[in-house]
Amino acid sequence: MYKHIRFFKDITINDVPQVGGKNASLGEMYRLLTPKGVNLPNGFSTTADSYYYFLDSAGIRDEVTKALEGLDIQDIRNLQEHGKRVREIILNAELPKDMEDEIRAGYQALCDELGFPDLVVAVRSSATAEDLPNASFAGQQETYLNISGIENVLESARKCIASLFTDRAIVYREENGFSHMQVALAVGIQQMVAVRSEAAGIMFTLDTESGFRDAVVINSIYGLGENIVQGRVSPDEFTVFKPTGAILKKRLGAKRLKMIPIENSETANVDVPEEDQHRYSITDEQVKTLAGWGMIIEEHYGKPMDIEWALDEDFGTLYIVQARPETVQSQKNPNVIEEYRRTEDGEVILTGVSVGNKIGTGRAKVIEDLKDIDTFNQGDVLVTTMTDPDWVPIMKRAAAIVTNKGGRTCHAAIVSRELGIPCIVGTDCATERIANDTEVTVSCVEGDEGKVYRGILKYEVITTDVSGLTRPETKMMMNIGSPEHAFVYAQIPNDGVGLAREEFIIDAHIKIHPLALLHFDSLTDEDARHQIHELTFGYANKADYFVDKLAEGIAILGAAFYPKDVIVRFSDFKTNEYANLIGGKQFEPIENNPMIGWRGASRYYSEQYREAFKLECVAMKRVRDEMGLTNVKAMVPFCRDLNEADQVLAIMAEAGLKRGENGFEVYMMVEIPSNVVLARDFAERFDGFSIGSNDLTQLTLGVDRDSHIVASVYDENNEAVKELIRQTIAVGKEKGIKVGICGQGPSDSPEFAKFLVEAGIDSMSLAPDTIVKTTIATKEIEAARS
């Protein structure tokens, strides 16, 4: 029976006071989740009692206490001096012989069990006040990798104990109200997963930027996972949808370096071959395995988790090596929605990967070395190559953080979320492009891409409490296009998406005309050819790029609102807009009035465009049939007559999208007077109508909605427009199909909203920023009517 160590098989989550949060979690998972198929490497932990035993046996408890006298964490120099003094006291002390003997025995037992004479292990710090549900700064204490041989293990164990007094750990305890001498450190000694040429990474069981609970986000790099946390490498990123297990999104990281074990229990960073940089570091199957394990771990603990994993190079086996509660998004009040909005434009200095959904402004301080931290003031913007745990004290003063390196799970990203400040990572050149002492605005509200603007730009913060919001009978749906904001917008009370526009996905994420991909070899524009080559790198069939990116965008929209309806409108660019896509000019005619020209249904069945439209169908079929997002429905815009409807539906069926199969529904935009005149016939062909009040007003009144000269005539409240809407709603009720409206009319005009409710509209689809106020107004209208 051991006194100073405990093996993972004998540890439960209730043992945090004895083995710390990290080791308690490892023991809990090793005991209970290994039988469920989750792989965990074995190990053991020293105890909190043995930590105090060490302090007392070495006679240094009082010495440590005295060395902390006069500590002032607001004074960086003072903090550094006190921390260094305490660490030196511990490192100069000897471990008690009986404690040392038990560590030797535990290490030998692991060697014997796994059949290695000098087993390679990771030596991890595990404090009794870490990884708490509401407080967890990344990397407070040290971890030592690639340690083999008992003498190296013992030395690393003592270093771990000393790391209880790193500067960031001291600050953490001070700010969370923990007494320095009442927090103990246990040392975890765990079989090291061999990752010299394979992969490792981090996994969160929610979306780290929005708090969306139905996603697992996985980051992966080559070699040891430390490079992710340290921000040295931009990782691959995968987003998996929990309800169906589908991979919604994949993003290729640079992965230029990998950390590998070398001799003498050390590690080194080596270059990754270029061909490996351009492929994903793990397979789709491995992504799904990890996501499945993440969900098992989350279910076991009953809360979102932050998990580390590694891929053993020798056997190709995945392992979970650590798990802790996620402490940022899971702690937020879901009933309070906070939205930052820029109200002023400016010059963009550079872009990177956005972290959080906020805006920060201040004077930029370019700091490459901690020795220069005295120049950093409260409210400055920290600009650096990357951060590590020693930077936490200075990060806490920052209005925002911008780094050259790193991904969404690097140290800078993790800590900025904890601190609630905007952060942009992976810019490559922030320290070169941002001049020291210049004023900047750091904006993380523009999707996955964060932007640094020159100067202090104005912005506003809108806070909405939706805890008491009751639902009206009329369905309140959203108009949405950008997948980047879908997870955030889905948290606003809603009844689904009444209009998701493919144009946003094509313009922002695909950027290329589909015919330029299908007929790349005949493309004459050399500049367009070069751009397409760059964007589609790795695609043997360039049309697959269009399908992949479009499916990804639709899938994120469908997943965000699942299982509510998400009605996706096929592309409705006009010819001049299509021509502006890369390679588009060669395939688009010049029209004098594109608004009523070759758009919508007439484009889909035409000989010139039919094969491109089929790519859209293939993408939607993949989302529904392969990803399991059967809540996604299709909508056909600008369908002038019944012949067009029949031809488009036939082409969709040819591409595998047949109305009625696997619950597939097809809606039609009602935006042309002919749609209303023939509404009963159209209702035989479609499952629902969505009234496009903008085009319907334009075409009913004969007004160009883009012309300021006749703008005074353009009015959705015009009785002619309202009469067509009444007729459409009446036909819908007669035929038993849903009728909604997409447009800002109900939000901008209470009179128009009242008219729609009285006419019996089934749903209104609105911009996200107006849905709450319109929901309240609609509820009041319904109450007054009854």
Side-chain angles (χ1 to χ4, degrees), residues 382-580:
L382 175 60
V383 181
T384 188
T385 298
M386 59 187 178
T387 67
D388 62 36
D390 289 329
W391 289 69
V392 169
I394 187 175
M395 296 168 76
K396 295 171 75 65
R397 300 179 181 183
I401 298 169
V402 184
T403 69
N404 293 346
K405 299 181 179 180
R408 291 188 197 280
T409 50
C410 73
H411 179 267
I414 293 170
V415 173
S416 68
R417 290 189 197 100
E418 295 274 4
L419 298 173
I421 59 176
C423 176
I424 298 177
V425 298
T427 63
D428 287 330
C429 56
T431 54
E432 298 172 10
R433 297 278 294 278
I434 301 175
N436 194 43
D437 278 329
T438 58
E439 291 183 328
V440 295
T441 296
V442 178
S443 175
C444 294
V445 299
E446 304 173 51
D448 289 346
E449 185 178 68
K451 297 179 180 178
V452 180
Y453 293 88
R454 195 178 307 282
I456 304 293
L457 302 183
K458 295 177 183 177
Y459 66 92
E460 62 183 0
V461 183
I462 300 170
T463 302
T464 307
D465 189 339
V466 297
S467 55
L469 193 64
T470 56
R471 309 303 303 158
E473 292 180 17
T474 307
K475 298 294 185 186
M476 308 305 296
M477 305 179 83
M478 283 192 193
N479 294 340
I480 192 168
S482 173
E484 288 93 343
H485 298 101
F487 288 168
V488 174
Y489 290 154
Q491 295 174 60
I492 301 171
N494 68 84
D495 295 305
V497 175
L499 173 62
R501 302 177 179 93
E502 281 191 5
E503 301 93 83
F504 283 86
I505 303 170
I506 296 170
D507 187 54
H509 296 277
I510 297 174
K511 303 179 182 180
I512 305 169
H513 195 292
L515 290 175
L517 292 166
L518 285 163
H519 301 288
F520 179 75
D521 291 341
S522 63
L523 193 60
T524 57
D525 185 334
E526 287 302 319
D527 183 54
R529 287 177 65 88
H530 175 72
Q531 291 182 68
I532 293 170
H533 177 74
E534 291 293 314
L535 287 169
T536 62
F537 185 84
Y539 280 89
N541 180 354
K542 296 191 181 302
D544 289 343
Y545 167 82
F546 186 92
V547 174
D548 284 355
K549 292 298 182 184
L550 184 56
E552 179 182 287
I554 295 171
I556 291 169
L557 294 171
F561 293 86
Y562 185 89
K564 300 170 188 171
D565 286 355
V566 173
I567 302 170
V568 178
R569 187 179 70 188
F570 288 122
S571 62
D572 192 25
F573 285 125
K574 288 72 178 175
T575 49
N576 56 323
E577 294 167 335
Y578 263 118
N580 286 330

Side-chain angles (χ1 to χ4, degrees), residues 14-174:
N14 297 320
D15 291 321
V16 172
Q18 268 300 305
V19 298
K22 189 178 299 178
N23 290 337
S25 179
L26 285 168
E28 176 83 358
M29 292 189 294
Y30 187 82
R31 288 174 57 252
L32 299 177
L33 300 187
T34 299
K36 295 184 178 181
V38 180
N39 294 335
L40 288 112
N42 198 6
F44 65 93
S45 172
T46 63
T47 67
D49 289 343
S50 66
Y51 165 78
Y52 292 119
Y53 177 64
F54 161 59
L55 295 184
D56 293 334
S57 297
I60 59 173
R61 188 194 287 249
D62 291 342
E63 198 176 346
V64 169
T65 302
K66 187 174 181 181
L68 290 168
E69 291 177 0
L71 172 69
D72 180 4
I73 64 171
Q74 301 305 320
D75 182 334
I76 300 296
R77 293 297 181 200
N78 175 288
L79 170 64
Q80 291 175 331
E81 290 168 2
H82 281 77
K84 181 180 179 183
R85 196 178 310 150
V86 175
R87 292 193 296 273
E88 287 176 346
I89 291 170
I90 295 172
L91 288 171
N92 289 328
E94 295 292 330
L95 292 174
K97 187 176 185 308
D98 56 341
M99 180 179 173
E100 181 181 309
D101 288 343
E102 289 197 10
I103 294 174
R104 288 178 182 274
Y107 178 69
Q108 187 60 51
L110 280 182
C111 291
D112 293 343
E113 176 190 332
L114 296 165
F116 293 94
D118 284 312
L119 178 70
V120 179
V121 293
V123 182
R124 300 178 180 274
S125 305
S126 181
T128 55
E130 68 173 359
D131 297 344
L132 303 177
N134 58 353
S136 176
F137 283 111
Q140 294 167 61
Q141 289 85 219
E142 302 293 354
T143 289
Y144 298 93
L145 305 175
N146 190 35
I147 307 302
S148 64
I150 186 56
E151 299 306 324
N152 290 324
V153 170
L154 290 167
E155 178 64 20
S156 298
R158 192 164 58 228
K159 289 180 180 177
C160 279
I161 294 172
S163 75
L164 184 60
F165 293 93
T166 58
D167 296 348
R168 69 265 189 183
I170 291 171
V171 171
Y172 170 86
R173 289 193 293 275
E174 287 276 328

Side-chain angles (χ1 to χ4, degrees), residues 595 671 691-719 721 725 741-745 748 752:
M595 190 72 78
E671 48 195 342
I691 299 168
S693 54
N694 290 338
D695 270 334
L696 187 61
T697 301
Q698 173 178 246
L699 296 173
T700 300
L701 300 178
V703 176
D704 181 351
R705 61 178 177 165
D706 290 339
S707 171
H708 67 281
I709 300 172
V710 290
S712 60
V713 183
Y714 184 91
D715 181 11
E716 288 175 308
N717 274 298
N718 185 286
E719 190 55 38
V721 179
I725 293 174
I741 188 168
C742 50
Q744 281 307 99
D748 297 340
F752 192 60

